[in-house]
């Protein structure tokens, strides 16, 4: 149990376009989800905490207008990278906390060309 | 903010040898977890150790936790080529809070 589905797994987009990444909790309700970013050969860095029905909480240095987070239901959080640029190319991964432990999505590899 | 620091950053061993990775953190924790990540892939949860535990085993994995030194170690015994991956420690200061990941150790196990 406690599966988080993340989609898409890979996306290539042109510079200046927007990309939406979805994170769904399949068998539990997630009032809170977390979005992380991982650059090549680096660790995971928390970007923001997504709260169902309210505004996301962004970590210092993360532009809220660039990384739009919507958590409109208890099972879905979306991260939209707006006006993507090559420096936004990274591995994005979401996480949720069922009543026990943490569970992660399989990640999205974003390449901006 | 990231608080876990692993060492070594990279470790290269031969199959059959043991691999030891260390992790240090800065603030008090609720739990400490170890994850594995194959290149370009998602995270695989390996083991969780609670702040009131000192040692935990799971198969070929042995994790220790020293809260007085704010450090943990992950030992992989009798390593296999398939153990080649990056290993991260992650801490949470409270249940349900976001995890803070260490910088990771890149392990290479050669046949």
């Amino acid at each position: 149990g406690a599966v988080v589905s993340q989609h898409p797994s890979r996306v290539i987009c042109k510079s200046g376009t927007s990309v939406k990444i979805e994170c769904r909790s399949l068998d539990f309700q997630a009032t809170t989800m977390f979005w992380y970013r991982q650059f090549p050969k680096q660790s995971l860095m928390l970007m923001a905490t997504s709260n169902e029905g309210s505004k996301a909480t962004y970590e210092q240095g993360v532009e809220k207008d660039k990384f739009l987070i919507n958590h409109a239901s208890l099972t879905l959080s979306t991260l939209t990278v707006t006006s993507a640029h090559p420096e936004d190319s990274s591995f994005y991964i979401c996480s949720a906390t069922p009543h026990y432990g943490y569970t992660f999505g399989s990640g999205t590899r974003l390449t901006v060309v | 903010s990231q608080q876990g620091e692993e060492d070594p950053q990279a470790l290269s061993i031969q199959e059959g040898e043991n691999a030891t990775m260390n992790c240090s953190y800065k603030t008090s924790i609720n739990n400490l977890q170890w994850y594995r990540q194959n290149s370009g892939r998602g995270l695989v949860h390996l083991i969780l150790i609670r702040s009131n535990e000192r040692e935990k085993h799971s198969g070929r994995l042995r994790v220790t936790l020293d809260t007085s030194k704010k450090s943990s170690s992950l030992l992989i015994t009798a390593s296999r080529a398939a153990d080649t991956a990056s290993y991260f420690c992650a801490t949470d200061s409270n249940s349900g809070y976001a995890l803070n990941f260490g910088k990771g150790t890149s392990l290479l196990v050669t046949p």
Side-chain angles (χ1 to χ4, degrees):
Chain A
V3 175
V4 170
S5 174
Q6 186 171 343
H7 178 81
S9 57
R10 289 179 180 273
V11 58
I12 300 173
C13 72
K14 290 185 177 180
S15 188
T17 62
S18 296
V19 173
K20 180 186 283 189
I21 302 170
E22 293 188 348
C23 183
R24 294 180 184 274
S25 58
L26 297 186
D27 47 6
F28 67 99
Q29 294 182 332
T31 55
T32 301
M33 289 188 178
F34 306 103
W35 287 96
Y36 295 85
R37 178 170 55 185
Q38 183 181 33
F39 291 110
K41 299 190 184 302
Q42 294 188 26
S43 187
L44 284 78
M45 295 296 292
L46 179 67
M47 298 177 66
T49 301
S50 171
N51 303 298
E52 186 269 335
S54 64
K55 292 181 179 180
T57 305
Y58 291 82
E59 294 300 298
Q60 191 172 8
V62 178
E63 300 176 56
K64 63 178 72 175
D65 294 330
K66 181 168 183 64
F67 298 99
L68 300 179
I69 291 174
N70 185 286
H71 195 154
S73 79
L74 287 170
T75 59
L76 175 63
S77 175
T78 60
L79 168 67
T80 300
V81 183
T82 62
S83 187
H85 292 284
E87 57 265 32
D88 298 323
S89 297
S90 188
F91 189 66
Y92 294 85
I93 190 165
C94 65
S95 172
T97 56
H99 66 276
Y100 52 91
Y102 294 81
T103 186
F104 286 84
S106 55
T108 297
R109 173 74 58 193
L110 170 64
T111 303
V112 185
V113 298
Chain B
S1 62
Q2 190 168 16
Q3 64 170 357
E5 299 274 344
E6 278 104 327
D7 74 272
Q9 290 188 356
L11 180 62
S12 182
I13 59 174
Q14 290 191 317
E15 269 192 325
E17 294 181 336
N18 296 339
T20 300
M21 289 159 265
N22 303 296
C23 166
S24 61
Y25 55 92
K26 296 177 183 176
T27 61
S28 61
I29 62 169
N30 187 44
N31 299 308
L32 186 144
Q33 305 180 54
W34 284 91
Y35 288 87
R36 165 200 168 113
Q37 184 182 37
N38 286 63
S39 180
R41 306 290 292 273
L43 295 174
V44 175
H45 180 260
L46 295 177
I47 197 166
L48 178 151
I49 187 165
R50 302 187 189 285
S51 59
N52 62 353
E53 297 177 311
R54 293 295 168 259
E55 188 171 312
K56 205 162 183 179
H57 297 254
S58 177
R60 294 184 295 115
L61 305 180
R62 173 178 170 256
V63 168
T64 63
L65 178 63
D66 187 334
T67 53
S68 66
K69 295 181 179 178
K70 292 186 170 57
S71 68
S72 173
S73 68
L74 171 67
L75 168 67
I76 304 175
T77 60
S79 63
R80 306 166 183 168
D83 294 329
T84 294
S86 292
Y87 292 82
F88 297 92
C89 69
T91 58
D92 65 343
S93 58
N94 212 330
S95 179
Y97 282 30
L99 292 176
N100 291 306
F101 284 86
K103 293 182 179 179
T105 293
S106 177
L107 174 66
L108 173 65
V109 182
T110 54

